[in-house]
Amino acid sequence: MDKITTIVGKEWSEVFKNKLVLFSVLFLPLILAVIPLVMLFVFRQAGADAALSAELNDPEIAALAGEMCVGLSAGDCTLVYTLNLFVLMFMILPVAIPVTIAAYSIVGEKTTRSLEPLLATPITTVELLTAKIVAAIVPAILATWLAFAIFLVGARLLAPPAVFSAFFAIHWLLAVLVVAPLLTLLAACVAVIVSSRVSDPRVAEQLSSVVILPLILLVVGQAVGLILIDRQIMVLLAVVVLVLDVGLVYLAVRLFQRETILTRWK
Amino acid sequence: MIQTENLTKSFGDHLAVDRLTLDIGEGEVFGFLGPNGAGKTTTIRMLTSLIAPTAGRARVAGYEVGRDDDQIRRHVGILTETPGMYDRLSARRNLSIFARLYEVERVDAQVEKYLKLLGLWERRDDAVGEFSKGMRQKLAIARALLHEPRVLFLDEPTAALDPEASRLVHDFVTELKGQGRTIFLCTHNLDEADRLCDRVAVFKTHLRVVDTPGKLRRQVYGRQVVFHLCGAAEAFLPVVSGLPFVSAIEADAGKLILTLDDPESHNPDLVRALVAAGADIQFVGELRYSLEDVYLQLMKDGVDA
Ligand SMILES: Nc1ncnc2c1ncn2[C@@H]1O[C@H](COP(=O)(O)OP(=O)(O)OP(=O)(O)O)[C@@H](O)[C@H]1O
Ligand SMILES: [Mg+2]
């Protein structure tokens, strides 16, 4: 345990000295929290109701908004729709962060050749991987939660109460509190697996970012009204991701062969 | 302290270490010499449980490679070929991370002790990225010692060091030997091997020879005595060539070089014979070949064989 915390501490002091990583961990979530709030603010200032009611008379958009908007004005409905899309972003965002951290931490260890002395110590593979994964996911989860809290508070203050209560639903809490961390773990595992096989952090980052693709499909699906995300879908998603996590953790441990990793990259 | 038996490692179909058998005693400084790509680093990696042997066995500090890997990692220290430090972190932080990983009990005290011993205490809070090659190397040596291992593997400890820093490392190795530690030293610096090692092995995929530096010299060159004479030495070849204890003779301008088994008892006879023949002797001395000469000769023989 002490070894894990030692490595996690080391990762953080190292990785956060990298401006790029620091930026992606801190600023991306904040930006994500601020943009929808700014939009809310602008909508309200502009008297969005009037401006948008015409648009919503368009039957297609009305159909899109569907059950989200029962009993809401057209403008409020647009707001609910927008907020919903942004919460989905809060699920995707934490996936990008651990990928960056893990890519830099593992590939960095390779390029500085510091892995060999590290592997010469009595640390087990499981301890080492746990440390790398924890180091990557904890900042991602915390940053996302913080940003989500800012977003919620801001939305509560800025959005009309009807809009907020129409938007705020259990499945979004489930999304951000449960699914997002599980996805983060998934992304970290993928990044660990990819990083132990390539020698450039940027390549590792890009390859691992493929994890985001299916999630973007989800967002697009919601945006065009193909899927309406509700509690059931979210629970299902949580279960699927959990199963994937278990498999990937196992795979990462299996694939992380000390010897191969030590001798393959030159 | 280190025993190997037919230790073998191949990478695919490339044989890096072939049936290496060694027995290194406690407290011995053992030099492991060989050209680039000989398999020295590969051998160290096997003996420190970093990579698994393809065949054969090895015991290090009483633990069996492959079976007690965790114990081996706890009980040996290794200076890897490249220091591999965390450049963004300070020297002190680098060491304390490793002290924790090695489960050292008094982390701060150990870190301070070795930073001081290696002359890095003043720079303890500087990022290692700002260190010179030599300072990194010293820091890496400190790192290898934090857990006070009884067996130490040093892979080219003075490769990047200036003469002063090399001397410091040499004195340090001598001190470690004085504490009874066993040291396995890979080096290309034959002078260093000659000075520090009790025994040296010349290795290139296969073990060529193992012996003390002195015996290797004798084995390759015998013992040679040089007479500096006034005038050409050729004139005196007939005088010495008949003597039974002279096994080889060479005349080079004013120098007469004789190979003898036992110079201590035969030199007086030689001097008498030469003086009687009218030679004016300026100096008499033993010709000492450097370990480098011996090594180069051995490598040359190896290629011929
Ligand atoms: N991971 C690996 N995969 C394939 N071949 C390897 C690997 N590691 C080492 N080798 C080969 O094994 C041989 C021995 O390498 P090693 O690094 O042990 O040599 P060395 O004696 O330490 O050389 P040097 O003096 O240059 O440090 C070399 O031919 C090298 O190419
Ligand atoms: Mg080497």
Side-chain angles (χ1 to χ4, degrees):
Chain A
M1 195 58 205
D2 186 40
K3 293 194 187 108
I4 295 176
T5 49
T6 302
I7 298 280
V8 170
K10 177 225 117 194
E11 292 300 328
W12 286 347
S13 1
E14 255 209 322
V15 141
F16 291 129
K17 285 197 174 125
N18 185 325
K19 300 275 183 311
L20 193 68
V21 177
L22 192 64
F23 175 83
S24 77
V25 174
L26 273 185
F27 290 92
L28 290 185
L30 283 182
I31 288 171
L32 195 63
V34 168
I35 290 177
L37 295 182
V38 169
M39 282 174 64
L40 267 183
F41 185 73
V42 171
F43 268 130
R44 295 203 67 190
Q45 292 292 306
D49 287 38
L52 283 164
S53 51
E55 214 179 303
L56 243 142
N57 285 338
D58 187 330
E60 260 182 57
I61 295 184
L64 261 181
E67 314 149 38
M68 272 194 276
C69 298
V70 186
L72 285 181
S73 77
D76 284 354
C77 181
T78 314
L79 287 182
V80 172
Y81 175 77
T82 315
L83 288 179
N84 272 337
L85 275 187
F86 269 97
V87 191
L88 265 184
M89 293 303 293
F90 277 103
M91 250 172 55
I92 297 180
L93 171 82
V95 173
I97 299 172
V99 166
T100 312
I101 298 180
Y104 276 85
S105 94
I106 291 186
V107 180
E109 199 102 58
K110 285 188 197 178
T111 50
T112 58
R113 301 293 183 89
S114 48
L115 201 62
E116 185 170 2
L118 187 60
L119 291 178
T121 68
I123 189 170
T124 64
T125 305
V126 173
E127 282 169 330
L128 182 61
L129 284 181
T130 308
K132 292 274 176 191
I133 290 175
V134 167
I137 65 177
V138 169
I141 294 174
L142 291 184
T144 306
W145 284 352
L146 179 70
F148 186 64
I150 293 173
F151 168 77
L152 270 191
V153 171
R156 181 80 190 77
L157 295 176
L158 289 173
V163 169
F164 188 78
S165 53
F167 140 77
F168 187 79
I170 286 293
H171 65 263
W172 290 135
L173 281 184
L174 198 64
V176 175
L177 294 182
V178 178
V179 180
L182 288 174
L183 279 172
T184 313
L185 176 59
L186 183 121
C189 288
V190 171
V192 163
I193 293 170
V194 172
S195 307
S196 43
R197 275 165 172 65
V198 300
S199 52
D200 183 333
R202 278 157 300 181
V203 175
E205 210 178 344
Q206 279 154 16
L207 281 178
S208 320
S209 302
V210 173
V211 182
I212 295 187
L213 283 183
L215 296 173
I216 289 182
L217 287 183
L218 203 65
V219 176
V220 173
Q222 161 106 352
V224 301
L226 219 60
I227 327 166
L228 183 68
I229 295 175
D230 58 13
R231 201 176 308 174
Q232 263 170 348
I233 291 189
M234 205 48 85
V235 170
L236 185 71
L237 192 63
V239 171
V240 169
V241 179
L242 183 67
V243 170
L244 284 177
D245 278 346
V246 172
L248 277 171
V249 168
Y250 176 76
L251 200 66
V253 173
R254 286 295 304 272
L255 289 178
F256 194 92
Q257 296 290 330
R258 292 169 100 104
E259 171 159 355
T260 326
I261 287 176
L262 192 66
T263 56
R264 197 181 277 172
W265 29 275
K266 281 274 170 189
Chain B
M1 215 46 176
I2 304 173
Q3 288 102 22
T4 70
E5 204 185 305
N6 293 322
L7 194 66
T8 301
K9 178 76 191 179
S10 44
F11 296 104
D13 50 12
H14 173 83
L15 197 57
V17 175
D18 188 22
R19 286 165 294 163
L20 174 65
T21 301
L22 287 176
D23 190 350
I24 301 170
E26 178 152 21
E28 189 174 355
V29 178
F30 188 84
F32 204 53
L33 316 178
N36 292 126
K40 303 180 298 294
T41 300
T42 304
T43 304
I44 287 197
R45 285 180 170 172
M46 285 192 281
L47 295 178
T48 51
S49 289
L50 279 166
I51 62 179
T54 317
R57 304 153 44 104
R59 284 180 77 78
V60 179
Y63 300 104
E64 181 90 24
V65 167
R67 194 190 61 201
D68 315 317
D69 287 342
D70 187 59
Q71 288 301 324
I72 290 183
R73 293 189 188 115
R74 278 169 210 277
H75 288 92
V76 308
I78 174 174
L79 170 73
T80 48
E81 200 165 23
T82 34
M85 288 289 164
Y86 299 117
D87 283 353
R88 294 167 191 273
L89 308 181
S90 71
R92 195 187 348 204
R93 185 76 196 278
N94 264 284
L95 291 193
S96 68
I97 288 168
F98 277 87
R100 291 208 172 81
L101 294 179
Y102 276 113
E103 301 173 13
V104 168
E105 275 179 21
R106 295 169 57 239
V107 171
D108 291 340
Q110 277 301 89
V111 168
E112 183 175 341
K113 170 178 163 190
Y114 280 104
L115 279 174
K116 282 185 173 159
L117 270 176
L118 285 150
L120 293 168
W121 183 243
E122 303 298 315
R123 304 288 303 269
R124 61 190 176 275
D125 291 322
D126 294 353
V128 174
E130 299 160 12
F131 276 22
S132 73
K133 251 180 166 184
M135 291 163 71
R136 282 159 187 270
Q137 187 77 354
K138 286 193 240 171
L139 191 61
I141 294 174
R143 179 177 62 191
L145 288 163
L146 287 168
H147 55 303
E148 305 289 355
R150 300 301 298 161
V151 183
L152 193 60
F153 291 87
L154 303 175
D155 200 346
E156 304 184 23
T158 55
L161 303 188
D162 64 28
E164 199 184 338
S166 299
R167 173 58 67 83
L168 190 136
V169 170
H170 292 164
D171 293 348
F172 199 60
V173 169
T174 311
E175 194 183 316
L176 293 170
K177 177 184 158 62
Q179 297 165 359
R181 303 191 211 229
T182 310
I183 297 169
F184 188 97
L185 175 74
C186 281
T187 181
H188 291 298
N189 181 340
L190 296 157
D191 213 33
E192 165 178 302
D194 203 0
R195 208 155 354 135
L196 297 176
C197 300
D198 300 309
R199 287 190 302 156
V200 296
V202 177
F203 176 81
K204 187 180 170 188
T205 314
H206 313 270
L207 189 61
R208 293 287 162 79
V209 284
V210 193
D211 221 321
T212 64
K215 281 199 188 135
L216 280 183
R217 252 190 215 104
R218 240 163 287 157
Q219 186 185 324
V220 174
Y221 289 105
R223 291 182 71 186
Q224 296 185 316
V225 177
V226 58
F227 293 84
H228 290 251
L229 307 176
C230 261
E234 279 82 3
F236 300 95
L237 283 175
V239 178
V240 289
S241 62
L243 300 170
F245 47 79
V246 177
S247 49
I249 310 172
E250 217 179 302
D252 176 19
K255 282 186 275 181
L256 197 60
I257 300 163
L258 307 179
T259 307
L260 310 172
D261 290 337
D262 186 3
E264 282 78 4
S265 44
H266 297 306
N267 273 349
D269 296 338
L270 274 171
V271 173
R272 266 192 291 277
L274 285 166
V275 171
D280 291 335
I281 301 176
Q282 293 172 316
F283 298 107
V284 181
E286 182 162 6
L287 195 64
R288 269 184 75 87
Y289 281 91
S290 66
L291 189 58
E292 185 169 331
D293 297 322
V294 175
Y295 171 86
L296 293 174
Q297 189 64 44
L298 281 170
M299 289 323 297
K300 209 162 77 191
D301 295 349
V303 172
D304 296 343

